[in-house]
Amino acid sequence: MSPVRILGTGSSAPERILTNFDFEKIVDTSDEWIRTRTGIVERRIADPDIATSDMAYEASLRALEAASVNSIDVDGVILGTVTPDYFFPSTACLLQSRLGAKKAFAFDLSAGCSGFVYGLQLGKAMIESGEARIILVVGAETMTRIMDFKDRATCVLFGDGAGAALIGKSDMSGILSLCLGANGDDWELLHMPAGGSRIPPSEETVRNRLHYIKMKGNDIFKEAVKAMESASIEAIRKADITTEEIDLFIPHQANLRIMEAVRKRLDIPPKKVFINVDRYGNTSSASVPIALDEAVRSGRVERGDLILFSVFGAGFTWASGIIRW
Ligand code: UT7
């Protein structure tokens, strides 16, 4: 098996910012409520002419540049998203074309917020097996397009953005472990009811606001903490390291209180946790790769550092992993 590591990362987010104070004018909420319950201060919102593939493209260009890899050398594009440009073709195909990654296969992956980390696992396995040498893994979302700006319980939580990582064969192993999980029993706690084959789009579905995120946040909170904790313990064990050795913990940026609960359970000191939920809100599958890219570019991560990341999302799906940078 060939060792696999991340060769370079990139991220992108729209310039336009929506603050908690902006939301005070839209729904019955307050900056104080959003800040104390979630840790979010502001999030990015894409202009009407920007879609998921546009942000994915920017993030991917930066990852290619950071890795010094030419797009023609990419063997595959795996893109995690719940907000594709179109139902089909896949956003990954649009990205593949725009990048000129002519040799690459391309497909989207639907695993909620865990899409990027699921993609990492798939890409890693393909490289290890010798089926591919370099794979572009992307998490990209335009969550503001499926946010109900009349539902205060959800609309204040999400934001837009994209993160990308190029992974490839290497002399030393960089991705030490990945542990994925899913449980579809409670899928209704976080879903978008209409638009698919179960409830096709109609005037009625639009009238009833069924093309927006529906979420029972409180129930998800507890499940997220439990799953992120147990997957992280498994990832640490599988990588054959100790928790004390971890240099940086990158949790899914959905809610500061969830991150804090997981951190405490894992007994990781606060200074080792990477947080940017205050600036982006929950960007779903883009959350972990944006955070990773920011950590790398801001110097929070140095060669050889051990990074733990953990994510939880719709499905439910979850995943944790250990990287040696
Ligand atoms: O990334 C995918 C996975 N998703 C998540 O990880 C989300 C997990 N869940 C959460 O982050 C939290 O549950 C929320 C931030 C969504 C909600 O926080 P909470 O502490 O669980 O609040 P709650 O849902 O129990 O609601 C408490 C109160 C309710 O009022 P009453 O019934 O106590 O009078 C809500 O109506 O807060 C009210 N509320 C709001 N008030 C002001 C809900 N949303 C808002 C709001 N502004 N935006």
Side-chain angles (χ1 to χ4, degrees), residues 186-191 214-217 219-220 223 316:
D186 292 320
W187 64 270
E188 272 179 300
L189 294 178
L190 177 50
H191 75 299
K214 309 287 174 199
M215 181 169 88
K216 296 243 170 14
D219 297 323
I220 296 172
E223 292 305 317
F316 296 141

Coordinates of all heavy atoms in Angstrom, one line a residue, residues 186-191 214-217 219-220 223 316:
D186 N -32.5 8.4 12.2 CA -33.1 9.7 12.5 C -32.9 10.7 11.4 O -32.7 11.9 11.7 CB -32.4 10.2 13.8 CG -32.8 9.4 15.0 OD1 -34.0 9.0 15.0 OD2 -32.0 9.1 15.8
W187 N -32.9 10.3 10.2 CA -32.6 11.2 9.0 C -33.5 12.4 9.0 O -33.1 13.5 8.6 CB -32.8 10.4 7.7 CG -34.2 9.9 7.5 CD1 -34.7 8.7 7.8 CD2 -35.3 10.6 6.8 NE1 -36.1 8.7 7.5 CE2 -36.4 9.8 6.8 CE3 -35.4 11.9 6.2 CZ2 -37.7 10.2 6.3 CZ3 -36.6 12.3 5.6 CH2 -37.7 11.4 5.7
E188 N -34.8 12.3 9.6 CA -35.7 13.4 9.5 C -35.3 14.6 10.4 O -35.8 15.7 10.2 CB -37.1 12.9 9.9 CG -37.9 12.4 8.8 CD -39.3 11.9 9.2 OE1 -39.3 11.0 10.1 OE2 -40.3 12.4 8.7
L189 N -34.4 14.4 11.3 CA -34.0 15.5 12.2 C -33.2 16.6 11.4 O -33.1 17.7 11.9 CB -33.1 14.9 13.3 CG -33.8 14.0 14.3 CD1 -32.8 13.5 15.4 CD2 -35.0 14.7 15.0
L190 N -32.7 16.2 10.2 CA -32.0 17.2 9.4 C -32.1 16.8 8.0 O -31.5 15.9 7.5 CB -30.5 17.2 9.8 CG -29.6 18.2 9.0 CD1 -30.1 19.6 8.9 CD2 -28.2 18.2 9.7
H191 N -33.0 17.5 7.3 CA -33.3 17.2 5.9 C -33.9 18.3 5.1 O -34.3 19.3 5.7 CB -34.1 15.9 5.8 CG -35.6 16.1 6.1 ND1 -36.0 16.5 7.3 CD2 -36.7 15.9 5.3 CE1 -37.4 16.6 7.2 NE2 -37.8 16.2 6.0
K214 N -34.7 21.6 7.1 CA -35.6 21.5 8.3 C -34.6 20.8 9.3 O -34.0 19.7 9.0 CB -36.8 20.6 8.0 CG -37.6 21.0 6.9 CD -38.4 22.3 7.2 CE -39.1 22.8 5.9 NZ -39.5 24.2 6.0
M215 N -34.5 21.3 10.5 CA -33.6 20.7 11.5 C -34.2 20.8 12.9 O -34.7 21.9 13.3 CB -32.3 21.5 11.4 CG -31.2 20.9 12.3 SD -29.6 21.5 12.0 CE -29.6 23.0 13.0
K216 N -34.0 19.7 13.6 CA -34.3 19.7 15.0 C -32.9 19.8 15.8 O -32.3 18.7 16.1 CB -35.0 18.4 15.4 CG -36.4 18.2 14.8 CD -37.5 18.2 15.9 CE -38.9 18.3 15.5 NZ -39.3 18.1 14.1
G217 N -32.5 21.0 15.9 CA -31.1 21.2 16.4 C -30.8 20.6 17.7 O -29.7 20.0 17.9
D219 N -31.9 17.9 19.3 CA -31.7 16.5 19.3 C -30.4 16.1 18.6 O -29.6 15.2 19.0 CB -32.8 15.8 18.5 CG -34.1 15.9 19.2 OD1 -34.2 16.0 20.4 OD2 -35.2 16.1 18.5
I220 N -30.0 16.9 17.5 CA -28.8 16.7 16.8 C -27.6 17.0 17.7 O -26.6 16.3 17.7 CB -28.7 17.5 15.5 CG1 -29.9 17.1 14.6 CG2 -27.4 17.4 14.8 CD1 -30.0 18.0 13.4
E223 N -26.5 14.0 19.7 CA -25.9 12.9 18.8 C -24.6 13.3 18.3 O -23.7 12.5 18.2 CB -26.9 12.7 17.7 CG -28.2 12.0 18.0 CD -28.0 10.8 18.8 OE1 -27.2 9.9 18.5 OE2 -28.8 10.6 19.8
F316 N -27.9 10.4 9.8 CA -26.6 11.1 10.2 C -25.4 10.4 9.6 O -25.4 9.2 9.4 CB -26.5 11.0 11.7 CG -27.5 11.7 12.5 CD1 -28.0 11.2 13.7 CD2 -28.0 13.0 12.1 CE1 -29.0 11.9 14.4 CE2 -29.0 13.6 12.8 CZ -29.5 13.1 14.0

